[in-house]
PDB file of all heavy atoms in Angstrom:
ATOM      1  N   ARG A  14      20.571 -54.614  12.361  1.00  0.00           N
ATOM      2  CA  ARG A  14      19.490 -53.618  12.308  1.00  0.00           C
ATOM      3  C   ARG A  14      19.228 -53.077  13.730  1.00  0.00           C
ATOM      4  O   ARG A  14      19.075 -51.869  13.917  1.00  0.00           O
ATOM      5  CB  ARG A  14      18.229 -54.255  11.710  1.00  0.00           C
ATOM      6  CG  ARG A  14      17.146 -53.278  11.391  1.00  0.00           C
ATOM      7  CD  ARG A  14      15.990 -53.906  10.592  1.00  0.00           C
ATOM      8  NE  ARG A  14      15.558 -55.183  11.099  1.00  0.00           N
ATOM      9  CZ  ARG A  14      15.665 -56.341  10.426  1.00  0.00           C
ATOM     10  NH1 ARG A  14      16.214 -56.380   9.226  1.00  0.00           N
ATOM     11  NH2 ARG A  14      15.244 -57.469  10.954  1.00  0.00           N
ATOM     12  N   ASN A  16      21.409 -52.995  16.219  1.00  0.00           N
ATOM     13  CA  ASN A  16      22.558 -52.162  16.573  1.00  0.00           C
ATOM     14  C   ASN A  16      22.411 -50.763  15.943  1.00  0.00           C
ATOM     15  O   ASN A  16      22.659 -49.752  16.586  1.00  0.00           O
ATOM     16  CB  ASN A  16      23.873 -52.798  16.129  1.00  0.00           C
ATOM     17  CG  ASN A  16      24.284 -53.941  17.005  1.00  0.00           C
ATOM     18  OD1 ASN A  16      23.812 -54.093  18.132  1.00  0.00           O
ATOM     19  ND2 ASN A  16      25.200 -54.761  16.500  1.00  0.00           N
ATOM     20  N   ARG A  19      19.820 -48.824  17.817  1.00  0.00           N
ATOM     21  CA  ARG A  19      20.332 -48.415  19.144  1.00  0.00           C
ATOM     22  C   ARG A  19      21.306 -47.244  19.007  1.00  0.00           C
ATOM     23  O   ARG A  19      21.282 -46.309  19.807  1.00  0.00           O
ATOM     24  CB  ARG A  19      20.980 -49.592  19.852  1.00  0.00           C
ATOM     25  CG  ARG A  19      19.960 -50.545  20.450  1.00  0.00           C
ATOM     26  CD  ARG A  19      20.500 -51.400  21.599  1.00  0.00           C
ATOM     27  NE  ARG A  19      21.827 -51.890  21.456  1.00  0.00           N
ATOM     28  CZ  ARG A  19      22.170 -53.072  20.930  1.00  0.00           C
ATOM     29  NH1 ARG A  19      21.253 -53.887  20.484  1.00  0.00           N
ATOM     30  NH2 ARG A  19      23.429 -53.446  20.876  1.00  0.00           N
ATOM     31  N   ALA A  75       7.565 -29.925   7.276  1.00  0.00           N
ATOM     32  CA  ALA A  75       6.118 -29.829   7.513  1.00  0.00           C
ATOM     33  C   ALA A  75       5.760 -28.478   8.099  1.00  0.00           C
ATOM     34  O   ALA A  75       4.765 -27.861   7.682  1.00  0.00           O
ATOM     35  CB  ALA A  75       5.667 -30.967   8.448  1.00  0.00           C
ATOM     36  N   ALA A  82       1.609 -22.482   3.220  1.00  0.00           N
ATOM     37  CA  ALA A  82       0.219 -22.735   2.802  1.00  0.00           C
ATOM     38  C   ALA A  82      -0.760 -21.759   3.490  1.00  0.00           C
ATOM     39  O   ALA A  82      -1.891 -21.599   3.022  1.00  0.00           O
ATOM     40  CB  ALA A  82      -0.173 -24.163   3.122  1.00  0.00           C
ATOM     41  N   GLU A  99      10.651 -23.802  18.993  1.00  0.00           N
ATOM     42  CA  GLU A  99      10.265 -24.846  19.943  1.00  0.00           C
ATOM     43  C   GLU A  99      10.908 -26.183  19.597  1.00  0.00           C
ATOM     44  O   GLU A  99      11.444 -26.874  20.452  1.00  0.00           O
ATOM     45  CB  GLU A  99       8.740 -24.983  20.030  1.00  0.00           C
ATOM     46  CG  GLU A  99       8.339 -25.998  21.070  1.00  0.00           C
ATOM     47  CD  GLU A  99       6.853 -26.056  21.328  1.00  0.00           C
ATOM     48  OE1 GLU A  99       6.144 -25.070  21.053  1.00  0.00           O
ATOM     49  OE2 GLU A  99       6.407 -27.105  21.830  1.00  0.00           O
ATOM     50  N   PHE A 111      21.404 -27.933  11.663  1.00  0.00           N
ATOM     51  CA  PHE A 111      20.658 -27.106  10.722  1.00  0.00           C
ATOM     52  C   PHE A 111      21.443 -25.852  10.337  1.00  0.00           C
ATOM     53  O   PHE A 111      21.388 -25.434   9.203  1.00  0.00           O
ATOM     54  CB  PHE A 111      19.317 -26.703  11.344  1.00  0.00           C
ATOM     55  CG  PHE A 111      18.412 -25.966  10.391  1.00  0.00           C
ATOM     56  CD1 PHE A 111      17.630 -26.671   9.494  1.00  0.00           C
ATOM     57  CD2 PHE A 111      18.345 -24.596  10.396  1.00  0.00           C
ATOM     58  CE1 PHE A 111      16.787 -26.000   8.612  1.00  0.00           C
ATOM     59  CE2 PHE A 111      17.505 -23.917   9.540  1.00  0.00           C
ATOM     60  CZ  PHE A 111      16.725 -24.614   8.634  1.00  0.00           C
ATOM     61  N   GLN A 140       6.933  -9.603   3.875  1.00  0.00           N
ATOM     62  CA  GLN A 140       7.395  -8.237   3.572  1.00  0.00           C
ATOM     63  C   GLN A 140       6.482  -7.604   2.537  1.00  0.00           C
ATOM     64  O   GLN A 140       6.116  -6.434   2.668  1.00  0.00           O
ATOM     65  CB  GLN A 140       8.846  -8.251   3.074  1.00  0.00           C
ATOM     66  CG  GLN A 140       9.854  -8.476   4.148  1.00  0.00           C
ATOM     67  CD  GLN A 140      11.265  -8.673   3.614  1.00  0.00           C
ATOM     68  OE1 GLN A 140      11.482  -9.234   2.564  1.00  0.00           O
ATOM     69  NE2 GLN A 140      12.240  -8.222   4.413  1.00  0.00           N
ATOM     70  N   ALA A 142       3.439  -8.114   2.010  1.00  0.00           N
ATOM     71  CA  ALA A 142       2.157  -7.783   2.646  1.00  0.00           C
ATOM     72  C   ALA A 142       2.304  -6.679   3.692  1.00  0.00           C
ATOM     73  O   ALA A 142       1.314  -6.251   4.287  1.00  0.00           O
ATOM     74  CB  ALA A 142       1.548  -9.042   3.288  1.00  0.00           C
ATOM     75  N   LEU A 156      19.909 -16.257  12.505  1.00  0.00           N
ATOM     76  CA  LEU A 156      20.448 -15.719  13.764  1.00  0.00           C
ATOM     77  C   LEU A 156      19.462 -15.963  14.919  1.00  0.00           C
ATOM     78  O   LEU A 156      19.883 -16.329  16.032  1.00  0.00           O
ATOM     79  CB  LEU A 156      20.743 -14.234  13.615  1.00  0.00           C
ATOM     80  CG  LEU A 156      21.434 -13.562  14.793  1.00  0.00           C
ATOM     81  CD1 LEU A 156      22.763 -14.192  15.116  1.00  0.00           C
ATOM     82  CD2 LEU A 156      21.616 -12.084  14.488  1.00  0.00           C
ATOM     83  N   PRO A 169      14.264 -29.469  30.201  1.00  0.00           N
ATOM     84  CA  PRO A 169      13.789 -29.305  28.830  1.00  0.00           C
ATOM     85  C   PRO A 169      12.466 -28.535  28.755  1.00  0.00           C
ATOM     86  O   PRO A 169      12.294 -27.710  27.861  1.00  0.00           O
ATOM     87  CB  PRO A 169      13.613 -30.750  28.334  1.00  0.00           C
ATOM     88  CG  PRO A 169      14.588 -31.536  29.142  1.00  0.00           C
ATOM     89  CD  PRO A 169      14.588 -30.871  30.494  1.00  0.00           C
ATOM     90  N   ALA A 175      11.026 -20.911  27.768  1.00  0.00           N
ATOM     91  CA  ALA A 175      11.914 -19.772  27.476  1.00  0.00           C
ATOM     92  C   ALA A 175      12.022 -19.543  25.965  1.00  0.00           C
ATOM     93  O   ALA A 175      12.035 -18.402  25.509  1.00  0.00           O
ATOM     94  CB  ALA A 175      13.292 -20.009  28.080  1.00  0.00           C
ATOM     95  N   SER A 176      12.036 -20.618  25.217  1.00  0.00           N
ATOM     96  CA  SER A 176      12.101 -20.516  23.757  1.00  0.00           C
ATOM     97  C   SER A 176      10.849 -19.857  23.178  1.00  0.00           C
ATOM     98  O   SER A 176      10.947 -19.029  22.277  1.00  0.00           O
ATOM     99  CB  SER A 176      12.287 -21.904  23.145  1.00  0.00           C
ATOM    100  OG  SER A 176      12.298 -21.817  21.738  1.00  0.00           O
ATOM    101  N   ARG A 177       9.704 -20.197  23.726  1.00  0.00           N
ATOM    102  CA  ARG A 177       8.455 -19.562  23.283  1.00  0.00           C
ATOM    103  C   ARG A 177       8.490 -18.055  23.555  1.00  0.00           C
ATOM    104  O   ARG A 177       8.094 -17.256  22.716  1.00  0.00           O
ATOM    105  CB  ARG A 177       7.267 -20.193  23.980  1.00  0.00           C
ATOM    106  CG  ARG A 177       6.959 -21.595  23.490  1.00  0.00           C
ATOM    107  CD  ARG A 177       5.775 -22.192  24.204  1.00  0.00           C
ATOM    108  NE  ARG A 177       5.573 -23.548  23.749  1.00  0.00           N
ATOM    109  CZ  ARG A 177       5.032 -24.490  24.480  1.00  0.00           C
ATOM    110  NH1 ARG A 177       4.619 -24.234  25.720  1.00  0.00           N
ATOM    111  NH2 ARG A 177       4.880 -25.712  24.000  1.00  0.00           N
ATOM    112  N   ALA A 181       8.558 -14.961  20.713  1.00  0.00           N
ATOM    113  CA  ALA A 181       7.639 -13.821  20.723  1.00  0.00           C
ATOM    114  C   ALA A 181       8.402 -12.504  20.673  1.00  0.00           C
ATOM    115  O   ALA A 181       8.030 -11.579  19.940  1.00  0.00           O
ATOM    116  CB  ALA A 181       6.754 -13.885  21.967  1.00  0.00           C
TER     117      ALA A 181
END
Side-chain angles (χ1 to χ4, degrees):
R14 191 171 44 245
N16 285 343
R19 283 202 321 267
E99 183 172 338
F111 186 82
Q140 285 172 327
L156 185 60
S176 178
R177 288 180 183 151

